[in-house]
Amino acid sequence: MSEIKRFGVSLPSDLLDKFDELIEKKGYKNRSKAIADIIREQLVRTSWESGKEDMVGIITMIYDHHTSNVVTELLEIQHNVETGMYSMMHIHLDHHNCLEILALKGSPVEIKKFADKLGSVRGVKHTGLIMADHKI
Ligand code: NI
């Protein structure tokens, strides 16, 4: 962990009140950790937008495995992924629905393309992408 530095911040009082209310609801014990998390979130977003370095992405996907060809199509896409696939978890949620969680590392552009491709398959009801940066 790097050295901790203190700095002063000037904010309109109503904005600070709203911020304190928000972080209390989220369970933060102090402003420092909440501010650090907001800064990190912005840095991660910027890293993903710049697309220059490898990022970590977690894709969630829910699909009805009874839809014809959905399993074959998803497998075909996953076998041709152009980023590193770290791990894949498959959960049979109920009679119809499957949940898959995929952890990838690679070009953010390719990870987004991959998530979009999975989401476009007939039978896939929902996809989500958590964008992370392991270097921040
Ligand atoms: Ni299943």
Side-chain angles (χ1 to χ4, degrees):
M1 191 186 232
S2 66
E3 177 198 350
I4 302 293
K5 286 191 176 177
R6 297 180 71 89
F7 67 101
V9 179
S10 303
L11 290 175
S13 65
D14 58 339
L15 185 61
L16 186 58
D17 289 345
K18 284 178 186 166
F19 182 68
D20 285 342
E21 208 176 292
L22 175 75
I23 65 174
E24 195 190 324
K25 267 188 211 157
K26 290 190 168 200
Y28 285 98
K29 303 234 176 349
N30 61 60
R31 290 178 184 147
S32 296
K33 166 84 168 110
I35 290 169
D37 285 357
I38 290 168
I39 292 170
R40 284 197 191 95
E41 197 180 305
Q42 288 300 314
L43 290 171
V44 169
R45 195 171 299 170
T46 305
S47 300
W48 271 77
E49 280 165 10
S50 79
K52 287 178 193 157
E53 291 180 59
D54 282 0
M55 296 288 139
V56 174
I58 298 103
I59 297 172
T60 59
M61 169 170 68
I62 293 175
Y63 61 90
D64 182 343
H65 74 108
H66 290 124
T67 307
S68 63
N69 289 328
V70 68
V71 176
T72 312
E73 277 189 57
L74 291 176
L75 279 176
E76 192 65 31
I77 293 168
Q78 289 180 37
H79 276 274
N80 291 309
V81 65
E82 303 213 1
T83 62
M85 176 90 74
Y86 276 179
S87 180
M88 190 261 232
M89 184 190 289
H90 183 110
I91 299 159
H92 308 301
L93 288 176
D94 56 34
H95 183 68
H96 290 281
N97 297 298
C98 300
L99 166 67
E100 279 188 14
I101 301 164
L102 313 167
L104 305 111
K105 185 181 169 198
S107 149
V109 175
E110 292 303 325
I111 293 175
K112 281 182 190 167
K113 260 198 243 171
F114 179 66
D116 287 344
K117 216 184 242 186
L118 294 171
S120 71
V121 173
R122 202 172 71 88
V124 176
K125 298 172 175 180
H126 179 263
T127 51
L129 172 61
I130 296 170
M131 296 182 252
D133 182 350
H134 54 296
K135 296 174 293 299
I136 289 177

